[in-house]
């Protein structure tokens, strides 16, 4: 039997047989939590104080309007359509006149389709919002994107597309589909993008297809990227690109063209009908600019870039090296059990914790819902920008807000008052921890994973950060934490206080870790064999040596691999025996080779500088601190070769020099300091300070970028190529810090005298230095350093009086 809707199911026949829908009175549903609901959405849908009206269809032809003000909103369908002449309003449903209007057929269609999909509740904008209440209307418009996003099904009703049982010609209906009015309206933009499931129906209520099956046609019609249609976070698309999506669309009320973008940019603002479209867009752009400025000030580094850098530095992420954890019962319990909120992955240095977390991040990104949030941070002890507790919170917040921009409301008011100093002054930890707590408690926060790698490398305020994690790990069932660190007793002691925690110790999973390292060994051996053209005998010898001596340590394998790359093929078998098992023995061999080389002194100077600086430095910056490199400052190839002479202690990526692993620095500082720092680290600090002042004095000048426009905005400045500030960027930012770390020495007093290096530099170059900092967008750092110098001079004055 062919039904009017084009469906042949018995269930549809039953519905149509009794489809004389009637509307009953409004019901207020408290939805007590003890009462089982049909499938419910996560409690993050609405704030507790807000009410969402839903239409309820009991299957017997009766539709009732339910006002639900519990956070556990039931799963519901939502209608997307173009408004016609006789739409059913909220008032119509109240006075019982709605069923007589033509628009009621859409409600009937939505009710019956929802019933077929097993949904009792549905939402229709014409009658579920009281538009006579301006406050309710404003709240509804600001919430609309979220309501569409959280719907289980979105039905798009297209009255200008026909696909009857007779008219099944593909070209005929597709031509009408491409020309339909729905694609020209402003409000339907968010109704297309927000929901996960969007299904299109013709005027006979017959299903045409879905957003997924019609993706190519929709992309061609709208120009919206396929990734946006597939649910990618809209923050991935530039403001300009998102504005372009609304450009060809129209709205009946001119201001709505701007208001319909509120959800696309995830911003909220009051509605002012009558202000005109230009003013509405102006206010929207101001809100977006405020958001961008706040996010820009919050950003210390982008953890997504850090992840790419780490994976690249370590030779790429090998899936076989981490897949074992996906089958681990402790990991699965943490991921799937709502009561398991905190996972601690612990293991010795070089066991692959960081790459394991990179793999977990990748897998979570694949498996979690499009509406979920994944935020992470990689601590690095050798980089002062990302080795402290405040940086961790800033990094996590940055990714959280990038994915759910409405969370910026927890920061915006304080940022409007304090600016960037909110994240940098002495009270930054207090402010950020309060902000983070309020976000974790926000009912609108979506399901979230928070991941922190190498907690042991958080060298500043790690105890504060651990206390914060322990206290907040159980604050919300929608938030899960995962952290990794070495097996340090102080970390274990603090984490013992956490509730709902899981522990995954790598040393207690020897078979899994050993198999993963074995996979990594085979991969690296294959790379060597291909690159060096090993014969079968050599390849097998390398494989067996790596497997038998790796001791389940990825880093050891990586270091031996780096060394073997530089060994001639015919020497490989003889050299294999020179690589001892264990990281410390291997590090000692690497150091011995450096000490016995012709470039021993130069390599030791480089290792001393890299051990002392507060962040990884570039090749150009390295030449400022080591006199013998000054003559080849522009010869990047030679500089890279010299860095390579430092064994495998250092890595070089995109002209940035850093330690290959924290354990490499630990070895040099604890077991080889006499060779690398014969006069102590204080002496290196002083050398870096003096060389920084010299480099800045030789480089800084008025209008160093030749802008010839003193009032130009920093956003209009184009960095020259080559950049004259490139070799001294580190010096400009950290010369005071190195002086401060030398302050315990009595013989640093000459630097602070009226005729000393500090006085002479500031007298001649102070304004030029501030100009350079402004070009580097770091003028606030200059203010902090000037304050530190003032404190240091006060100390010097008191010290001198006592000394005399």
């Amino acid at each position: 039997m062919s039904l009017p809707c084009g469906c042949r199911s018995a269930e549809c026949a039953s519905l149509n047989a009794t489809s004389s829908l009637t509307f009953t009175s409004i019901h207020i549903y408290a939805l007590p939590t003890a009462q089982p609901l049909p499938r419910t959405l996560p409690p993050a849908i609405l704030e507790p104080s807000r009410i969402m009206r839903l239409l309820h269809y009991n299957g017997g032809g009766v539709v009732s309007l339910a006002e639900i003000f519990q956070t556990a909103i039931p799963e519901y369908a939502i209608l997307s359509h173009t408004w016609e002449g006789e739409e059913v309003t909220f008032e119509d449903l109240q006075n019982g006149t709605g069923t007589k209007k033509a628009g009621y057929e859409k409600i009937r269609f939505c009710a019956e389709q929802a019933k077929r999909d097993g949904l009792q509740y549905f939402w229709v904008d014409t009658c579920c919002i009281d538009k006579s209440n301006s406050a309710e209307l404003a709240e509804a418009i600001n919430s609309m994107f979220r309501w569409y996003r959280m719907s289980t099904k979105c039905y798009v009703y297209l009255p200008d597309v026909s696909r009857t049982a007779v008219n099944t010609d593909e070209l005929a209906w597709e031509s009408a589909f491409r020309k339909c009015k729905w694609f020209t309206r402003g409000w339907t933009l968010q109704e297309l993008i927000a929901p996960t499931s969007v299904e299109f129906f013709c005027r006979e209520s017959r299903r045409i297809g879905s957003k997924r099956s019609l993706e190519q046609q929709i992309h061609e019609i709208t120009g919206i990227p396929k990734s946006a249609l597939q649910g990618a976070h809209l923050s991935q698309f530039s403001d300009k690109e998102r504005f372009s999506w609304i450009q060809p669309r129209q709205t009946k009320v001119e201001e709505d063209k701007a208001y319909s973008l509120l959800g696309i940019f995830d911003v909220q603002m009051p509605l002012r009908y009558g202000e005109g479209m230009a003013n509405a867009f102006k206010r929207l752009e101001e809100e977006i600019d405020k958001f961008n400025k706040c996010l820009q000030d919050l950003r210390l580094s982008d953890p997504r870039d850090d992840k790419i850098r780490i994976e690249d530095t370590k030779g790429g992420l090998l899936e076989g090296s981490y897949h074992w954890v996906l089958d681990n019962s402790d990991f699965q319990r943490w991921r799937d059990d709502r009561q398991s909120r905190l996972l601690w992955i612990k293991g010795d240095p070089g066991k692959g914790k960081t790459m394991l977390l990179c793999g977990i991040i990748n897998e979570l990104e694949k498996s979690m819902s499009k509406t979920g949030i994944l935020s992470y941070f990689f601590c690095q002890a050798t980089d002062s920008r990302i080795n402290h507790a405040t940086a961790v919170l800033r990094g996590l917040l940055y990714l959280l807000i990038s994915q759910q921009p409405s969370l910026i409301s927890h920061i915006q008011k304080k940022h409007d008052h304090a600016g960037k100093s909110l994240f940098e002054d002495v009270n930054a930890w207090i402010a950020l921890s309060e902000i983070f707590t309020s976000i974790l408690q926000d009912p609108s926060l979506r399901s979230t994973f928070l991941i922190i790698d190498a907690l042991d490398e958080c060298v500043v305020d790690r105890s504060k950060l651990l206390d914060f994690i322990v206290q907040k790990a159980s604050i919300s069932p929608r938030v899960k934490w995962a952290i990794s660190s070495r097996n340090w007793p102080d970390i274990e002691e603090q984490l013992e206080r956490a509730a709902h925690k899981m522990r995954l110790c790598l040393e207690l999973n020897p078979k899994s870790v050993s198999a993963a390292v074995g996979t990594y060994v085979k991969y690296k051996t294959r790379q060597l064999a291909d690159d060096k053209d090993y014969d079968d005998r050599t390849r097998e010898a390398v494989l067996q040596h790596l497997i038998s001596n790796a001791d389940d340590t990825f880093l050891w394998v990586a270091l031996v691999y780096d060394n073997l790359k530089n060994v001639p093929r015919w020497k490989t078998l003889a050299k294999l025996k020179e690589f001892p098992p264990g990281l410390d023995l291997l590090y000692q061999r690497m150091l011995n080779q450096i000490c016995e080389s012709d470039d021993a002194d130069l390599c030791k100077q480089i290792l001393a500088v890299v051990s002392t600086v507060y962040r990884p430095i570039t090749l150009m910056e390295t030449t400022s601190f080591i006199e013998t490199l000054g003559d080849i400052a522009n010869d990047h190839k030679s500089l890279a070769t010299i860095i390579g002479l430092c064994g495998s202690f250092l890595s070089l990526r995109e002209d940035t020099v850093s330690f290959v692993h924290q354990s490499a620095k630990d070895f040099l500082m604890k077991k080889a300091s006499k060779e690398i720092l014969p006069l102590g680290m204080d002496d290196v600090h002083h050398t870096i300070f003096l060389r920084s002042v010299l480099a800045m004095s030789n480089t800084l000048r008025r209008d160093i970028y030749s802008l010839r426009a003193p009032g130009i905005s920093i956003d209009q400045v184009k960095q020259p190529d080559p950049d004259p500030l490139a070799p001294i960027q580190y010096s400009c930012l950290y010369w005071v810090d190195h002086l401060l770390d030398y302050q315990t020495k009595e013989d640093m007093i000459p630097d602070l005298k009226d005729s000393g290096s500090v006085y002479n530099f500031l007298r001649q170059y102070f304004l030029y230095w501030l100009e350079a900092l402004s070009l580097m967008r770091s003028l606030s750092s200059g203010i902090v350093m000037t304050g530190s110098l003032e404190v240091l001079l006060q100390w010097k004055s008191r010290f001198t009086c006592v000394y005399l």
Side-chain angles (χ1 to χ4, degrees), residues 416-449:
D416 289 347
H417 177 72
K420 193 175 183 179
S421 63
L422 174 67
F423 312 124
E424 296 179 343
D425 66 18
V426 292
N427 296 315
W429 168 260
I430 295 173
L432 286 166
S433 57
E434 289 177 354
I435 290 167
F436 210 105
T437 300
S438 67
I439 286 178
L440 293 177
Q441 294 172 333
D442 188 337
S444 72
L445 176 67
R446 307 202 291 266
S447 177
T448 300
F449 288 95

Side-chain angles (χ1 to χ4, degrees), residues 461-644:
D461 292 332
R462 180 173 61 246
S463 181
K464 281 185 180 180
L465 180 59
L466 278 165
D467 280 340
F468 182 82
I469 294 170
V470 167
Q471 292 171 19
K472 308 306 176 186
S474 58
I475 201 170
S476 170
R478 301 189 305 277
V479 180
K480 289 181 178 290
W481 296 74
I483 59 176
S484 73
S485 76
R486 300 186 193 184
N487 293 303
W488 284 7
D490 63 318
I491 294 178
E492 182 162 14
E493 183 179 345
Q494 287 189 267
L495 290 178
E496 275 298 318
R497 297 183 286 106
H500 312 295
K501 63 180 178 293
M502 301 293 298
R503 192 174 313 183
L504 199 165
C505 179
L506 298 186
E507 281 73 27
L508 296 181
N509 291 271
K511 289 185 179 179
S512 298
V513 175
S514 181
V517 172
T519 300
Y520 184 66
V521 166
K522 292 175 183 176
Y523 172 72
K524 286 298 183 183
T525 302
R526 187 164 57 250
Q527 277 189 318
L528 278 172
D530 291 342
D531 293 343
K532 310 287 288 187
D533 197 23
Y534 289 162
D535 57 25
D536 291 344
R537 176 168 168 262
T538 303
R539 184 178 65 250
E540 184 63 24
V542 170
L543 177 66
Q544 292 305 319
H545 185 82
L546 294 180
I547 287 177
S548 60
N549 291 279
D551 192 26
D552 298 341
T553 305
F554 288 92
L555 180 58
W556 185 91
V557 178
L559 292 172
V560 174
Y561 166 82
D562 285 339
N563 277 267
L564 285 174
K565 283 195 301 184
N566 299 318
V567 174
R569 182 178 59 197
W570 58 276
K571 286 186 177 181
T572 300
L573 293 177
K575 286 287 184 181
L576 268 180
K577 298 177 181 178
E578 297 181 15
F579 297 110
L583 281 177
D584 281 356
L585 289 176
L586 185 58
Y587 284 144
Q588 188 61 56
R589 176 190 178 275
M590 289 158 48
L591 181 62
N592 292 340
Q593 285 185 318
I594 290 172
C595 293
E596 294 167 4
S597 70
D598 294 336
D599 302 291
D601 290 339
L602 177 58
C603 289
K604 289 178 183 179
Q605 288 182 62
I606 293 172
L607 290 173
V609 167
V610 177
S611 298
T612 307
V613 291
Y614 302 109
R615 66 155 170 81
I617 53 178
T618 65
L619 285 175
M620 290 285 284
E621 289 169 338
T622 306
T623 63
S624 297
F625 309 131
I626 300 171
E627 187 173 3
T628 53
L629 297 182
D631 294 336
I632 57 171
N634 296 316
D635 186 352
H636 281 215
K637 188 173 182 179
S638 295
L639 289 171
T641 300
I642 291 171
I643 296 299

Side-chain angles (χ1 to χ4, degrees), residues 163-217:
R163 193 179 185 187
T164 62
V166 177
N167 179 21
T168 57
D169 179 45
E170 195 76 19
L171 292 177
W173 75 258
E174 185 174 334
S175 176
F177 178 74
R178 288 177 178 272
K179 296 175 183 177
C180 71
K181 184 179 177 183
W182 189 84
F183 286 114
T184 70
R185 308 308 298 168
W187 286 109
T188 58
L189 172 62
Q190 65 178 4
E191 296 164 15
L192 169 65
I193 291 176
T196 300
S197 173
V198 180
E199 297 181 349
F200 295 88
F201 294 83
C202 62
R203 67 168 170 258
E204 295 85 12
S205 302
R206 179 170 182 160
R207 187 177 183 275
I208 298 172
S210 66
K211 179 165 66 171
R212 184 174 180 179
S213 66
L214 298 171
E215 183 181 279
Q216 182 61 35
Q217 291 95 323

Side-chain angles (χ1 to χ4, degrees), residues 341-388:
R341 314 274 175 78
L342 174 63
L343 174 67
W344 178 30
I345 298 176
K346 62 175 185 171
D348 291 335
K351 293 295 184 180
K353 299 182 294 296
T354 295
M355 298 303 272
L356 185 65
L357 258 64
C358 286
I360 288 173
I361 290 169
N362 288 354
E363 295 301 320
L364 288 175
E365 285 177 334
K366 294 177 189 175
S367 62
M368 62 193 296
S369 69
K370 294 292 185 182
T371 59
I373 297 176
L374 176 59
S375 183
Y376 48 86
F377 190 86
F378 295 88
C379 298
Q380 190 170 340
T382 54
D383 191 337
S384 63
R385 297 168 301 181
I386 52 176
N387 70 357
H388 52 94

Side-chain angles (χ1 to χ4, degrees), residues 135-397:
E136 179 179 329
L137 178 61
E139 182 178 350
I141 288 177
N142 277 285
S143 304
M144 198 79 70
F145 187 91
R146 180 160 49 90
W147 288 348
Y148 273 91
R149 186 189 67 225
M150 300 310 297
S151 65
T152 303
K153 294 274 189 179
C154 176
Y155 306 136
V156 179
Y157 181 74
L158 305 175
D160 46 359
V161 178
S162 177
R163 193 179 185 187
T164 62
V166 177
N167 179 21
T168 57
D169 179 45
E170 195 76 19
L171 292 177
W173 75 258
E174 185 174 334
S175 176
F177 178 74
R178 288 177 178 272
K179 296 175 183 177
C180 71
K181 184 179 177 183
W182 189 84
F183 286 114
T184 70
R185 308 308 298 168
W187 286 109
T188 58
L189 172 62
Q190 65 178 4
E191 296 164 15
L192 169 65
I193 291 176
T196 300
S197 173
V198 180
E199 297 181 349
F200 295 88
F201 294 83
C202 62
R203 67 168 170 258
E204 295 85 12
S205 302
R206 179 170 182 160
R207 187 177 183 275
I208 298 172
S210 66
K211 179 165 66 171
R212 184 174 180 179
S213 66
L214 298 171
E215 183 181 279
Q216 182 61 35
Q217 291 95 323
I218 295 171
H219 166 66
E220 293 172 2
I221 296 166
T222 64
I224 298 172
K226 292 181 181 180
S227 55
L229 297 173
Q230 293 164 0
H233 289 290
L234 296 184
S235 58
Q236 297 178 18
F237 306 96
S238 70
D239 296 344
K240 182 179 180 180
E241 185 172 11
R242 282 181 276 177
F243 272 120
S244 72
W245 300 343
I246 197 68
Q247 192 171 1
R249 295 172 178 259
Q250 302 298 322
T251 56
K252 290 181 179 178
V253 180
E254 60 175 322
E255 293 88 354
D256 280 345
K257 193 163 185 177
Y259 301 159
S260 64
L261 288 173
L262 294 179
I264 301 296
F265 288 96
D266 204 356
V267 298
Q268 294 192 353
M269 67 181 195
L271 310 184
R272 297 174 185 169
Y273 284 108
E275 68 177 326
M277 183 169 64
N279 286 333
F281 269 105
K282 181 181 178 182
R283 288 197 301 120
L284 175 60
E285 288 167 1
E286 288 173 352
E287 290 296 324
I288 294 170
D289 288 344
K290 283 172 59 179
F291 169 84
N292 289 339
K293 180 65 169 68
C294 186
L295 196 64
Q296 182 184 65
D297 287 347
L298 176 63
R299 182 188 183 278
L300 195 59
S301 72
D302 189 330
R304 292 168 294 199
D305 294 336
D306 291 332
K307 178 175 178 288
I308 294 171
R309 170 180 55 80
I310 289 168
E311 291 178 358
D312 185 67
T313 300
K314 295 178 182 291
L317 181 61
L318 184 65
E319 287 192 3
S321 65
Y322 70 82
H323 263 198
W324 67 270
V325 77
L326 305 179
D327 298 321
N328 180 274
S329 59
D330 292 329
F331 172 79
Q332 291 177 342
R333 182 178 170 190
W334 167 78
R335 182 191 59 195
D336 302 330
D337 184 359
R338 283 173 61 88
Q339 296 303 314
S340 300
R341 314 274 175 78
L342 174 63
L343 174 67
W344 178 30
I345 298 176
K346 62 175 185 171
D348 291 335
K351 293 295 184 180
K353 299 182 294 296
T354 295
M355 298 303 272
L356 185 65
L357 258 64
C358 286
I360 288 173
I361 290 169
N362 288 354
E363 295 301 320
L364 288 175
E365 285 177 334
K366 294 177 189 175
S367 62
M368 62 193 296
S369 69
K370 294 292 185 182
T371 59
I373 297 176
L374 176 59
S375 183
Y376 48 86
F377 190 86
F378 295 88
C379 298
Q380 190 170 340
T382 54
D383 191 337
S384 63
R385 297 168 301 181
I386 52 176
N387 70 357
H388 52 94
T390 302
V392 175
L393 291 193
R394 286 177 69 173
L396 293 175
L397 283 171

